[in-house]
Amino acid sequence: MKLSHENQRNTSAMGSLSVHRKKTAILVIAILSVLLVTAGVFYVNDYYHADESVQEYLEKTGGVSVTAIADGMYLDGPKDDTALIFYPGAKVEYTAYLPLLYQLAEKGIDCFLIQMPCNLAFLGQNKAQTIMETYKYDHWYVSGHSLGGAMAASYASKHLEELDGLILLAAYPVKSLISDSQDSFSVLSVYGSNDGVLNQKKYEAGNARMPANYISVCIEGGNHAQFGNYGEQKGDHAAGISRIEQQQQTAEAALQMIETHNHAYKEQTQEDKPMTYQQITPQEAKEKMDNEKGIILLDVRTREEYDTGHIKQAICLPNEEIISEPEQLPDKAQPILVYCRSGNRSRQAAQKLADMGYENVFEFGGLTDWPYPEMVE
């Protein structure tokens, strides 16, 4: 059947309209995409910049070394057992927090200042994991300001057993921070009395997610922005104290919390830890022989090895025979210096003696590393 001329015209018109609609839809989508990308670029680049005072902390020389790392800045202070990983606030240049963290590093808390993608911590919530896998410390803490604090808290909620604690600056948790062992994880929450940005209702609701022993510190006169060096923040209230004073009070509260937690941890581990021995150098062992009285020098090699040459005045008590109270060692408080051929058996023997209750056991390696041949017979 053939279509009439009129039907053909109608079909052609409908086809043209369909193509027009498709082109229009594509054009609208393209315009919306451009607008969204433009808005996104504008949003990402509209952030609070660190002020000029930060530059001096990048150039300082002294007890703290500030170096760039893949994820931000590493502030390496005079000690090496405790570290803090810091998440910046939303749309704040990460270096704005250098002055605050520098104070912690000076007091022995090494700090990792994280640079977040697009200055938004929710895009890098798990960056702490990379740091903890790369560096080795006895104690780990995470911290953050505002949105950075909320993201640090979210990370901490999933890693309570790996972390010692959390320090929140004008922030609150959205997930539970309650650990099975209440004393194993500490939380410090610091905020300013003049904070105009922090949502007080959400802050108070977050208290229910805190461990029972968490610490809350309100800095009188402090506001939201003065935890960092990036100027005034929209919606914030004027501060009643200086930025320097607010950061000093914050650093003091953080240091006190960390020191208290670390001290409690040390006491607990010492109670749980079995008795052990001390490792010293051959030089330190000789100094003890020369200057201290009542020392027992123990050679834990076999008797055959002992007969081929040993340190003068050493007693032979093979490692394999240290299974009961040795007659040669009647006093458990007496200092005992232990050695073998290369250092392996002496460590085993020293631990055995410590486990048996000997209080002053010192292991100094093997005869092969003994630098005083005149003392060998």
Side-chain angles (χ1 to χ4, degrees):
M1 173 186 277
K2 292 185 178 179
L3 293 173
S4 66
H5 291 294
E6 184 176 350
N7 286 339
Q8 287 179 354
R9 285 196 298 271
N10 290 339
T11 302
S12 176
M14 291 176 63
S16 298
L17 180 61
S18 177
V19 170
H20 177 73
R21 284 176 177 173
K22 287 181 179 179
K23 288 182 177 179
T24 302
I26 292 172
L27 181 60
V28 169
I29 292 172
I31 292 172
L32 288 174
S33 298
V34 170
L35 289 174
L36 285 172
V37 170
T38 302
V41 171
F42 176 79
Y43 180 84
V44 166
N45 287 282
D46 178 28
Y47 62 90
Y48 295 98
H49 295 261
D51 63 33
E52 294 179 356
S53 65
V54 168
Q55 188 63 33
E56 69 174 283
Y57 295 91
L58 295 170
E59 301 170 351
K60 270 190 175 184
T61 57
V64 178
S65 170
V66 180
T67 56
I69 58 175
D71 288 310
M73 292 283 180
Y74 174 38
L75 288 78
D76 186 9
K79 297 183 180 180
D80 57 7
D81 65 334
T82 303
L84 179 141
I85 302 169
F86 190 89
Y87 287 8
K91 300 181 71 177
V92 177
E93 187 175 10
Y94 75 110
T95 53
Y97 298 93
L98 271 174
L100 171 60
L101 299 185
Y102 199 94
Q103 293 184 55
L104 296 179
E106 282 184 314
K107 298 296 183 180
I109 312 300
D110 288 352
C111 295
F112 295 87
L113 176 52
I114 304 302
Q115 182 179 21
M116 290 296 177
C118 303
N119 295 310
L120 295 171
F122 66 81
L123 297 176
Q125 183 184 142
N126 294 319
K127 280 185 173 288
Q129 192 66 36
T130 302
I131 298 295
M132 294 175 67
E133 289 173 354
T134 305
Y135 297 84
K136 300 299 179 184
Y137 285 88
D138 295 332
H139 303 284
W140 283 104
Y141 295 83
V142 290
S143 178
H145 176 221
S146 198
L147 177 64
M151 294 301 99
S154 293
Y155 176 83
S157 69
K158 304 170 187 175
H159 300 85
L160 295 175
E161 301 303 319
E162 303 166 36
L163 295 165
D164 287 76
L166 167 71
I167 298 173
L168 296 171
L169 306 184
Y172 49 85
V174 294
K175 296 181 180 179
S176 176
L177 297 170
I178 300 172
S179 170
D180 293 336
S181 176
Q182 288 293 319
D183 296 330
S184 66
F185 187 80
S186 297
V187 179
L188 169 67
S189 177
V190 184
Y191 66 98
S193 63
N194 293 15
D195 194 320
V197 178
L198 180 64
N199 187 315
Q200 290 295 332
K201 288 185 178 180
K202 291 184 177 181
Y203 179 85
E204 292 171 6
N207 292 340
R209 305 181 184 99
M210 297 285 203
N213 61 346
Y214 91 98
I215 302 167
S216 179
V217 174
C218 177
I219 298 178
E220 287 299 323
N223 68 0
H224 195 83
Q226 287 192 159
F227 289 107
N229 287 42
Y230 58 90
E232 297 180 358
Q233 186 164 344
K234 184 179 179 180
D236 202 7
H237 296 154
I241 60 175
S242 70
R243 183 174 59 197
I244 293 175
E245 176 61 25
Q246 181 167 338
Q247 291 180 13
Q248 284 179 343
Q249 289 190 40
T250 303
E252 288 170 4
L255 285 166
Q256 183 175 355
M257 176 268 215
I258 291 172
E259 289 173 357
T260 299
H261 180 91
N262 286 1
H263 180 71
Y265 173 86
K266 183 177 180 180
E267 286 189 339
Q268 180 182 358
T269 53
Q270 284 180 339
E271 289 176 1
D272 298 339
K273 188 177 180 179
M275 293 186 67
T276 187
Y277 62 93
Q278 297 183 52
Q279 283 187 299
I280 60 176
T281 65
Q283 291 79 8
E284 290 172 326
K286 184 179 184 302
E287 186 176 349
K288 284 183 173 294
M289 295 178 201
D290 293 340
N291 300 310
E292 297 181 24
K293 295 181 179 180
I295 286 180
I296 292 181
L297 184 58
L298 212 57
D299 187 322
V300 296
R301 298 174 299 162
T302 65
R303 286 182 172 79
E304 291 75 16
E305 289 176 293
Y306 176 85
D307 290 339
T308 61
H310 56 269
I311 299 175
K312 294 177 181 178
Q313 300 182 348
I315 297 172
C316 181
L317 179 60
N319 177 40
E320 294 76 11
E321 296 180 16
I322 305 178
I323 55 176
S324 60
E325 304 293 328
E327 294 181 0
Q328 301 97 318
L329 308 174
D331 184 359
K332 290 192 174 181
Q334 196 168 13
I336 303 172
L337 300 181
V338 185
Y339 75 93
C340 64
R341 184 187 67 84
S342 62
N344 183 38
R345 284 173 289 178
S346 59
R347 290 191 291 272
Q348 295 175 14
Q351 186 60 60
K352 290 177 185 177
L353 291 169
D355 291 342
M356 292 162 60
Y358 289 91
E359 302 170 6
N360 293 298
V361 181
F362 302 87
E363 187 273 328
F364 64 93
L367 194 60
T368 55
D369 296 321
W370 182 250
Y372 309 103
E374 70 279 5
M375 295 180 66
V376 176
E377 60 180 12

